[in-house]
PDB file of all heavy atoms in Angstrom:
ATOM      1  N   ILE X 208    -110.427 -74.763 -71.645  1.00 91.00           N
ATOM      2  CA  ILE X 208    -111.904 -74.705 -71.519  1.00 91.00           C
ATOM      3  C   ILE X 208    -112.359 -73.234 -71.507  1.00 91.00           C
ATOM      4  O   ILE X 208    -113.374 -72.870 -72.036  1.00 91.00           O
ATOM      5  CB  ILE X 208    -112.256 -75.391 -70.296  1.00 91.00           C
ATOM      6  CG1 ILE X 208    -112.033 -76.806 -70.331  1.00 91.00           C
ATOM      7  CG2 ILE X 208    -113.782 -75.129 -69.881  1.00 91.00           C
ATOM      8  CD1 ILE X 208    -112.352 -77.764 -68.989  1.00 91.00           C
ATOM      9  N   GLN X 209    -111.528 -72.363 -70.894  1.00 88.00           N
ATOM     10  CA  GLN X 209    -111.990 -70.986 -70.918  1.00 88.00           C
ATOM     11  C   GLN X 209    -111.873 -70.368 -72.316  1.00 88.00           C
ATOM     12  O   GLN X 209    -112.803 -69.520 -72.681  1.00 88.00           O
ATOM     13  CB  GLN X 209    -110.976 -70.103 -69.972  1.00 88.00           C
ATOM     14  CG  GLN X 209    -111.230 -70.512 -68.440  1.00 88.00           C
ATOM     15  CD  GLN X 209    -110.122 -69.919 -67.646  1.00 88.00           C
ATOM     16  OE1 GLN X 209    -109.094 -69.511 -68.093  1.00 88.00           O
ATOM     17  NE2 GLN X 209    -110.287 -70.110 -66.385  1.00 88.00           N
ATOM     18  N   MET X 210    -110.977 -70.676 -73.167  1.00 87.00           N
ATOM     19  CA  MET X 210    -110.983 -70.411 -74.525  1.00 87.00           C
ATOM     20  C   MET X 210    -112.141 -70.885 -75.301  1.00 87.00           C
ATOM     21  O   MET X 210    -112.781 -70.078 -76.074  1.00 87.00           O
ATOM     22  CB  MET X 210    -109.671 -70.823 -75.238  1.00 87.00           C
ATOM     23  CG  MET X 210    -108.371 -70.144 -74.716  1.00 87.00           C
ATOM     24  SD  MET X 210    -106.849 -70.982 -75.412  1.00 87.00           S
ATOM     25  CE  MET X 210    -107.214 -70.849 -77.177  1.00 87.00           C
ATOM     26  N   HIS X 211    -112.526 -72.098 -75.026  1.00 87.00           N
ATOM     27  CA  HIS X 211    -113.738 -72.687 -75.706  1.00 87.00           C
ATOM     28  C   HIS X 211    -115.050 -72.034 -75.369  1.00 87.00           C
ATOM     29  O   HIS X 211    -115.965 -71.928 -76.108  1.00 87.00           O
ATOM     30  CB  HIS X 211    -113.777 -74.155 -75.280  1.00 87.00           C
ATOM     31  CG  HIS X 211    -114.859 -74.880 -75.908  1.00 87.00           C
ATOM     32  ND1 HIS X 211    -114.944 -75.180 -77.255  1.00 87.00           N
ATOM     33  CD2 HIS X 211    -116.027 -75.342 -75.435  1.00 87.00           C
ATOM     34  CE1 HIS X 211    -116.037 -75.800 -77.584  1.00 87.00           C
ATOM     35  NE2 HIS X 211    -116.810 -75.935 -76.459  1.00 87.00           N
ATOM     36  N   ASN X 212    -115.030 -71.383 -74.114  1.00 87.00           N
ATOM     37  CA  ASN X 212    -116.337 -70.869 -73.544  1.00 87.00           C
ATOM     38  C   ASN X 212    -116.263 -69.283 -73.581  1.00 87.00           C
ATOM     39  O   ASN X 212    -117.013 -68.667 -72.750  1.00 87.00           O
ATOM     40  CB  ASN X 212    -116.632 -71.375 -72.115  1.00 87.00           C
ATOM     41  CG  ASN X 212    -117.009 -72.788 -72.250  1.00 87.00           C
ATOM     42  OD1 ASN X 212    -118.197 -73.162 -72.484  1.00 87.00           O
ATOM     43  ND2 ASN X 212    -116.127 -73.671 -71.862  1.00 87.00           N
ATOM     44  N   ALA X 213    -115.324 -68.708 -74.161  1.00 86.00           N
ATOM     45  CA  ALA X 213    -115.156 -67.258 -74.228  1.00 86.00           C
ATOM     46  C   ALA X 213    -116.399 -66.646 -74.884  1.00 86.00           C
ATOM     47  O   ALA X 213    -116.889 -67.072 -75.979  1.00 86.00           O
ATOM     48  CB  ALA X 213    -113.923 -66.856 -74.963  1.00 86.00           C
ATOM     49  N   ILE X 214    -116.972 -65.696 -74.201  1.00 83.00           N
ATOM     50  CA  ILE X 214    -118.200 -64.999 -74.697  1.00 83.00           C
ATOM     51  C   ILE X 214    -117.762 -64.001 -75.811  1.00 83.00           C
ATOM     52  O   ILE X 214    -116.773 -63.355 -75.623  1.00 83.00           O
ATOM     53  CB  ILE X 214    -118.810 -64.211 -73.601  1.00 83.00           C
ATOM     54  CG1 ILE X 214    -119.422 -65.162 -72.494  1.00 83.00           C
ATOM     55  CG2 ILE X 214    -120.054 -63.355 -74.115  1.00 83.00           C
ATOM     56  CD1 ILE X 214    -119.946 -64.450 -71.326  1.00 83.00           C
ATOM     57  N   PRO X 215    -118.410 -64.151 -77.035  1.00 73.00           N
ATOM     58  CA  PRO X 215    -118.011 -63.222 -78.032  1.00 73.00           C
ATOM     59  C   PRO X 215    -117.959 -61.720 -77.614  1.00 73.00           C
ATOM     60  O   PRO X 215    -118.753 -61.407 -76.726  1.00 73.00           O
ATOM     61  CB  PRO X 215    -119.138 -63.419 -79.144  1.00 73.00           C
ATOM     62  CG  PRO X 215    -119.706 -64.736 -78.770  1.00 73.00           C
ATOM     63  CD  PRO X 215    -119.568 -64.845 -77.314  1.00 73.00           C
ATOM     64  N   PRO X 216    -117.195 -60.886 -78.158  1.00 73.00           N
ATOM     65  CA  PRO X 216    -117.111 -59.506 -77.706  1.00 73.00           C
ATOM     66  C   PRO X 216    -118.449 -58.863 -78.022  1.00 73.00           C
ATOM     67  O   PRO X 216    -119.150 -59.122 -78.888  1.00 73.00           O
ATOM     68  CB  PRO X 216    -116.003 -58.953 -78.621  1.00 73.00           C
ATOM     69  CG  PRO X 216    -115.924 -59.838 -79.821  1.00 73.00           C
ATOM     70  CD  PRO X 216    -116.247 -61.219 -79.289  1.00 73.00           C
ATOM     71  N   LEU X 217    -118.690 -57.733 -77.132  1.00 65.00           N
ATOM     72  CA  LEU X 217    -119.932 -57.103 -77.308  1.00 65.00           C
ATOM     73  C   LEU X 217    -119.986 -56.275 -78.596  1.00 65.00           C
ATOM     74  O   LEU X 217    -118.880 -55.811 -79.178  1.00 65.00           O
ATOM     75  CB  LEU X 217    -120.127 -56.055 -76.078  1.00 65.00           C
ATOM     76  CG  LEU X 217    -120.062 -56.746 -74.766  1.00 65.00           C
ATOM     77  CD1 LEU X 217    -120.384 -55.718 -73.714  1.00 65.00           C
ATOM     78  CD2 LEU X 217    -121.095 -57.752 -74.663  1.00 65.00           C
ATOM     79  N   GLY X 218    -121.088 -56.061 -79.238  1.00 59.00           N
ATOM     80  CA  GLY X 218    -121.292 -55.597 -80.568  1.00 59.00           C
ATOM     81  C   GLY X 218    -121.061 -53.993 -80.572  1.00 59.00           C
ATOM     82  O   GLY X 218    -120.843 -53.579 -81.569  1.00 59.00           O
ATOM     83  N   PHE X 219    -121.262 -53.283 -79.576  1.00 51.00           N
ATOM     84  CA  PHE X 219    -121.249 -51.821 -79.559  1.00 51.00           C
ATOM     85  C   PHE X 219    -120.456 -51.331 -78.353  1.00 51.00           C
ATOM     86  O   PHE X 219    -120.213 -52.050 -77.439  1.00 51.00           O
ATOM     87  CB  PHE X 219    -122.630 -51.139 -79.429  1.00 51.00           C
ATOM     88  CG  PHE X 219    -123.439 -51.729 -78.347  1.00 51.00           C
ATOM     89  CD1 PHE X 219    -123.330 -51.088 -76.997  1.00 51.00           C
ATOM     90  CD2 PHE X 219    -124.464 -52.667 -78.573  1.00 51.00           C
ATOM     91  CE1 PHE X 219    -123.958 -51.535 -75.980  1.00 51.00           C
ATOM     92  CE2 PHE X 219    -125.138 -53.087 -77.482  1.00 51.00           C
ATOM     93  CZ  PHE X 219    -124.895 -52.625 -76.120  1.00 51.00           C
ATOM     94  N   ALA X 220    -119.912 -50.157 -78.537  1.00 45.00           N
ATOM     95  CA  ALA X 220    -119.079 -49.560 -77.574  1.00 45.00           C
ATOM     96  C   ALA X 220    -119.741 -48.310 -76.968  1.00 45.00           C
ATOM     97  O   ALA X 220    -120.724 -47.792 -77.680  1.00 45.00           O
ATOM     98  CB  ALA X 220    -117.678 -49.160 -78.145  1.00 45.00           C
ATOM     99  N   GLY X 221    -119.376 -47.862 -75.907  1.00 46.00           N
ATOM    100  CA  GLY X 221    -119.934 -46.637 -75.268  1.00 46.00           C
ATOM    101  C   GLY X 221    -121.157 -46.987 -74.373  1.00 46.00           C
ATOM    102  O   GLY X 221    -121.428 -48.096 -74.127  1.00 46.00           O
ATOM    103  N   PRO X 222    -121.900 -45.961 -74.035  1.00 48.00           N
ATOM    104  CA  PRO X 222    -123.063 -46.244 -73.100  1.00 48.00           C
ATOM    105  C   PRO X 222    -123.991 -47.155 -73.653  1.00 48.00           C
ATOM    106  O   PRO X 222    -124.341 -46.978 -74.905  1.00 48.00           O
ATOM    107  CB  PRO X 222    -123.598 -44.766 -72.772  1.00 48.00           C
ATOM    108  CG  PRO X 222    -122.503 -43.929 -73.159  1.00 48.00           C
ATOM    109  CD  PRO X 222    -121.787 -44.522 -74.277  1.00 48.00           C
ATOM    110  N   ALA X 223    -124.513 -48.124 -72.872  1.00 48.00           N
ATOM    111  CA  ALA X 223    -125.504 -49.006 -73.397  1.00 48.00           C
ATOM    112  C   ALA X 223    -126.932 -48.455 -73.216  1.00 48.00           C
ATOM    113  O   ALA X 223    -127.446 -48.292 -72.016  1.00 48.00           O
ATOM    114  CB  ALA X 223    -125.450 -50.356 -72.636  1.00 48.00           C
ATOM    115  N   GLY X 224    -127.513 -47.795 -74.285  1.00 52.00           N
ATOM    116  CA  GLY X 224    -128.782 -47.221 -74.157  1.00 52.00           C
ATOM    117  C   GLY X 224    -129.886 -48.131 -74.620  1.00 52.00           C
ATOM    118  O   GLY X 224    -129.749 -49.269 -75.001  1.00 52.00           O
ATOM    119  N   ASN X 225    -131.141 -47.433 -74.728  1.00 58.00           N
ATOM    120  CA  ASN X 225    -132.381 -48.242 -75.208  1.00 58.00           C
ATOM    121  C   ASN X 225    -132.190 -48.636 -76.593  1.00 58.00           C
ATOM    122  O   ASN X 225    -132.702 -49.691 -76.917  1.00 58.00           O
ATOM    123  CB  ASN X 225    -133.572 -47.447 -74.956  1.00 58.00           C
ATOM    124  CG  ASN X 225    -134.810 -48.185 -75.154  1.00 58.00           C
ATOM    125  OD1 ASN X 225    -134.982 -49.209 -74.848  1.00 58.00           O
ATOM    126  ND2 ASN X 225    -135.797 -47.442 -75.796  1.00 58.00           N
ATOM    127  N   SER X 226    -131.715 -47.742 -77.327  1.00 62.00           N
ATOM    128  CA  SER X 226    -131.582 -48.028 -78.883  1.00 62.00           C
ATOM    129  C   SER X 226    -130.585 -49.280 -79.083  1.00 62.00           C
ATOM    130  O   SER X 226    -130.872 -50.106 -79.922  1.00 62.00           O
ATOM    131  CB  SER X 226    -131.094 -46.891 -79.644  1.00 62.00           C
ATOM    132  OG  SER X 226    -129.745 -46.499 -79.180  1.00 62.00           O
ATOM    133  N   ASN X 227    -129.612 -49.325 -78.296  1.00 79.00           N
ATOM    134  CA  ASN X 227    -128.634 -50.468 -78.376  1.00 79.00           C
ATOM    135  C   ASN X 227    -129.318 -51.813 -78.062  1.00 79.00           C
ATOM    136  O   ASN X 227    -129.167 -52.911 -78.527  1.00 79.00           O
ATOM    137  CB  ASN X 227    -127.455 -50.361 -77.607  1.00 79.00           C
ATOM    138  CG  ASN X 227    -126.560 -49.086 -78.151  1.00 79.00           C
ATOM    139  OD1 ASN X 227    -126.434 -48.973 -79.314  1.00 79.00           O
ATOM    140  ND2 ASN X 227    -125.931 -48.439 -77.236  1.00 79.00           N
ATOM    141  N   LEU X 228    -130.231 -51.782 -76.889  1.00 86.00           N
ATOM    142  CA  LEU X 228    -130.838 -52.951 -76.485  1.00 86.00           C
ATOM    143  C   LEU X 228    -131.966 -53.328 -77.478  1.00 86.00           C
ATOM    144  O   LEU X 228    -132.151 -54.581 -77.750  1.00 86.00           O
ATOM    145  CB  LEU X 228    -131.472 -52.746 -75.108  1.00 86.00           C
ATOM    146  CG  LEU X 228    -130.564 -52.565 -73.899  1.00 86.00           C
ATOM    147  CD1 LEU X 228    -131.348 -52.347 -72.614  1.00 86.00           C
ATOM    148  CD2 LEU X 228    -129.625 -53.724 -73.799  1.00 86.00           C
ATOM    149  N   LEU X 229    -132.600 -52.411 -78.042  1.00 87.00           N
ATOM    150  CA  LEU X 229    -133.547 -52.714 -79.085  1.00 87.00           C
ATOM    151  C   LEU X 229    -132.988 -53.435 -80.318  1.00 87.00           C
ATOM    152  O   LEU X 229    -133.582 -54.229 -81.001  1.00 87.00           O
ATOM    153  CB  LEU X 229    -134.345 -51.408 -79.546  1.00 87.00           C
ATOM    154  CG  LEU X 229    -135.504 -50.969 -78.600  1.00 87.00           C
ATOM    155  CD1 LEU X 229    -135.981 -49.585 -79.127  1.00 87.00           C
ATOM    156  CD2 LEU X 229    -136.628 -51.897 -78.560  1.00 87.00           C
ATOM    157  N   SER X 230    -131.799 -53.114 -80.722  1.00 87.00           N
ATOM    158  CA  SER X 230    -131.148 -53.574 -81.851  1.00 87.00           C
ATOM    159  C   SER X 230    -130.738 -55.057 -81.574  1.00 87.00           C
ATOM    160  O   SER X 230    -130.452 -55.797 -82.559  1.00 87.00           O
ATOM    161  CB  SER X 230    -129.861 -52.795 -82.107  1.00 87.00           C
ATOM    162  OG  SER X 230    -128.847 -52.819 -81.060  1.00 87.00           O
ATOM    163  N   LEU X 231    -130.702 -55.495 -80.309  1.00 90.00           N
ATOM    164  CA  LEU X 231    -130.381 -56.823 -79.971  1.00 90.00           C
ATOM    165  C   LEU X 231    -131.505 -57.815 -80.036  1.00 90.00           C
ATOM    166  O   LEU X 231    -131.414 -59.120 -80.063  1.00 90.00           O
ATOM    167  CB  LEU X 231    -129.808 -57.008 -78.532  1.00 90.00           C
ATOM    168  CG  LEU X 231    -128.473 -56.322 -78.356  1.00 90.00           C
ATOM    169  CD1 LEU X 231    -128.118 -56.242 -76.866  1.00 90.00           C
ATOM    170  CD2 LEU X 231    -127.366 -56.847 -79.130  1.00 90.00           C
ATOM    171  N   LEU X 232    -132.841 -57.289 -80.067  1.00 92.00           N
ATOM    172  CA  LEU X 232    -133.898 -58.068 -80.254  1.00 92.00           C
ATOM    173  C   LEU X 232    -133.983 -58.787 -81.532  1.00 92.00           C
ATOM    174  O   LEU X 232    -133.952 -58.182 -82.473  1.00 92.00           O
ATOM    175  CB  LEU X 232    -135.299 -57.260 -79.907  1.00 92.00           C
ATOM    176  CG  LEU X 232    -135.567 -56.854 -78.505  1.00 92.00           C
ATOM    177  CD1 LEU X 232    -136.898 -56.065 -78.526  1.00 92.00           C
ATOM    178  CD2 LEU X 232    -135.834 -58.215 -77.733  1.00 92.00           C
ATOM    179  N   PRO X 233    -134.368 -60.086 -81.490  1.00 92.00           N
ATOM    180  CA  PRO X 233    -134.549 -60.830 -82.821  1.00 92.00           C
ATOM    181  C   PRO X 233    -136.048 -60.482 -83.350  1.00 92.00           C
ATOM    182  O   PRO X 233    -136.662 -59.653 -82.790  1.00 92.00           O
ATOM    183  CB  PRO X 233    -134.338 -62.264 -82.438  1.00 92.00           C
ATOM    184  CG  PRO X 233    -134.875 -62.280 -81.017  1.00 92.00           C
ATOM    185  CD  PRO X 233    -134.324 -61.036 -80.420  1.00 92.00           C
ATOM    186  N   ASP X 234    -136.311 -61.037 -84.432  1.00 92.00           N
ATOM    187  CA  ASP X 234    -137.720 -60.867 -85.000  1.00 92.00           C
ATOM    188  C   ASP X 234    -138.716 -61.392 -84.070  1.00 92.00           C
ATOM    189  O   ASP X 234    -138.537 -62.211 -83.166  1.00 92.00           O
ATOM    190  CB  ASP X 234    -137.748 -61.518 -86.334  1.00 92.00           C
ATOM    191  CG  ASP X 234    -137.512 -62.950 -86.272  1.00 92.00           C
ATOM    192  OD1 ASP X 234    -138.548 -63.719 -86.076  1.00 92.00           O
ATOM    193  OD2 ASP X 234    -136.307 -63.315 -86.559  1.00 92.00           O
ATOM    194  N   ARG X 235    -139.939 -61.062 -84.249  1.00 92.00           N
ATOM    195  CA  ARG X 235    -140.979 -61.285 -83.249  1.00 92.00           C
ATOM    196  C   ARG X 235    -141.207 -62.865 -83.297  1.00 92.00           C
ATOM    197  O   ARG X 235    -141.506 -63.339 -82.154  1.00 92.00           O
ATOM    198  CB  ARG X 235    -142.239 -60.749 -83.814  1.00 92.00           C
ATOM    199  CG  ARG X 235    -143.553 -61.083 -82.938  1.00 92.00           C
ATOM    200  CD  ARG X 235    -143.330 -60.664 -81.470  1.00 92.00           C
ATOM    201  NE  ARG X 235    -144.410 -61.032 -80.573  1.00 92.00           N
ATOM    202  CZ  ARG X 235    -145.536 -60.412 -80.338  1.00 92.00           C
ATOM    203  NH1 ARG X 235    -145.743 -59.303 -81.077  1.00 92.00           N
ATOM    204  NH2 ARG X 235    -146.445 -60.897 -79.571  1.00 92.00           N
ATOM    205  N   GLN X 236    -141.203 -63.568 -84.385  1.00 93.00           N
ATOM    206  CA  GLN X 236    -141.474 -64.905 -84.372  1.00 93.00           C
ATOM    207  C   GLN X 236    -140.327 -65.702 -83.533  1.00 93.00           C
ATOM    208  O   GLN X 236    -140.707 -66.647 -82.668  1.00 93.00           O
ATOM    209  CB  GLN X 236    -141.410 -65.472 -85.778  1.00 93.00           C
ATOM    210  CG  GLN X 236    -141.670 -66.991 -85.881  1.00 93.00           C
ATOM    211  CD  GLN X 236    -141.806 -67.539 -87.270  1.00 93.00           C
ATOM    212  OE1 GLN X 236    -141.476 -66.736 -88.136  1.00 93.00           O
ATOM    213  NE2 GLN X 236    -142.075 -68.840 -87.484  1.00 93.00           N
ATOM    214  N   THR X 237    -139.062 -65.292 -83.691  1.00 94.00           N
ATOM    215  CA  THR X 237    -138.057 -65.935 -82.952  1.00 94.00           C
ATOM    216  C   THR X 237    -138.212 -65.666 -81.396  1.00 94.00           C
ATOM    217  O   THR X 237    -137.965 -66.532 -80.558  1.00 94.00           O
ATOM    218  CB  THR X 237    -136.683 -65.419 -83.371  1.00 94.00           C
ATOM    219  OG1 THR X 237    -136.533 -65.644 -84.731  1.00 94.00           O
ATOM    220  CG2 THR X 237    -135.500 -66.152 -82.653  1.00 94.00           C
ATOM    221  N   THR X 238    -138.508 -64.402 -81.111  1.00 93.00           N
ATOM    222  CA  THR X 238    -138.808 -63.974 -79.659  1.00 93.00           C
ATOM    223  C   THR X 238    -139.815 -64.762 -79.033  1.00 93.00           C
ATOM    224  O   THR X 238    -139.742 -65.235 -77.918  1.00 93.00           O
ATOM    225  CB  THR X 238    -139.061 -62.506 -79.626  1.00 93.00           C
ATOM    226  OG1 THR X 238    -137.999 -61.789 -80.128  1.00 93.00           O
ATOM    227  CG2 THR X 238    -139.286 -62.072 -78.184  1.00 93.00           C
ATOM    228  N   ASP X 239    -141.023 -65.032 -79.866  1.00 92.00           N
ATOM    229  CA  ASP X 239    -142.088 -65.740 -79.274  1.00 92.00           C
ATOM    230  C   ASP X 239    -141.597 -67.239 -78.949  1.00 92.00           C
ATOM    231  O   ASP X 239    -142.122 -67.870 -78.014  1.00 92.00           O
ATOM    232  CB  ASP X 239    -143.295 -65.830 -80.284  1.00 92.00           C
ATOM    233  CG  ASP X 239    -143.964 -64.481 -80.337  1.00 92.00           C
ATOM    234  OD1 ASP X 239    -143.720 -63.691 -79.494  1.00 92.00           O
ATOM    235  OD2 ASP X 239    -144.616 -64.293 -81.427  1.00 92.00           O
ATOM    236  N   VAL X 240    -140.738 -67.771 -79.863  1.00 93.00           N
ATOM    237  CA  VAL X 240    -140.319 -69.124 -79.579  1.00 93.00           C
ATOM    238  C   VAL X 240    -139.594 -69.282 -78.264  1.00 93.00           C
ATOM    239  O   VAL X 240    -139.640 -70.196 -77.531  1.00 93.00           O
ATOM    240  CB  VAL X 240    -139.500 -69.628 -80.815  1.00 93.00           C
ATOM    241  CG1 VAL X 240    -138.771 -70.991 -80.544  1.00 93.00           C
ATOM    242  CG2 VAL X 240    -140.333 -69.759 -81.961  1.00 93.00           C
ATOM    243  N   TRP X 241    -138.548 -68.331 -78.113  1.00 94.00           N
ATOM    244  CA  TRP X 241    -137.758 -68.409 -76.903  1.00 94.00           C
ATOM    245  C   TRP X 241    -138.513 -68.018 -75.674  1.00 94.00           C
ATOM    246  O   TRP X 241    -138.315 -68.540 -74.572  1.00 94.00           O
ATOM    247  CB  TRP X 241    -136.550 -67.366 -76.986  1.00 94.00           C
ATOM    248  CG  TRP X 241    -135.492 -67.730 -77.974  1.00 94.00           C
ATOM    249  CD1 TRP X 241    -135.060 -67.046 -79.093  1.00 94.00           C
ATOM    250  CD2 TRP X 241    -134.703 -68.880 -78.019  1.00 94.00           C
ATOM    251  NE1 TRP X 241    -134.018 -67.695 -79.743  1.00 94.00           N
ATOM    252  CE2 TRP X 241    -133.813 -68.905 -79.104  1.00 94.00           C
ATOM    253  CE3 TRP X 241    -134.689 -69.982 -77.080  1.00 94.00           C
ATOM    254  CZ2 TRP X 241    -132.999 -69.900 -79.358  1.00 94.00           C
ATOM    255  CZ3 TRP X 241    -133.774 -71.024 -77.391  1.00 94.00           C
ATOM    256  CH2 TRP X 241    -132.792 -70.957 -78.496  1.00 94.00           C
ATOM    257  N   ALA X 242    -139.516 -67.113 -75.825  1.00 93.00           N
ATOM    258  CA  ALA X 242    -140.387 -66.719 -74.702  1.00 93.00           C
ATOM    259  C   ALA X 242    -141.223 -68.059 -74.268  1.00 93.00           C
ATOM    260  O   ALA X 242    -141.466 -68.370 -73.009  1.00 93.00           O
ATOM    261  CB  ALA X 242    -141.256 -65.513 -75.014  1.00 93.00           C
TER     262      ALA X 242
END
Side-chain angles (χ1 to χ4, degrees):
I208 295 177
Q209 289 168 355
M210 291 173 55
H211 179 72
N212 291 278
I214 298 178
L217 303 184
F219 54 80
N225 185 40
S226 59
N227 289 327
L228 292 181
L229 280 173
S230 64
L231 298 174
L232 279 176
D234 58 88
R235 177 62 187 270
Q236 183 178 1
T237 305
T238 301
D239 289 342
V240 171
W241 288 121

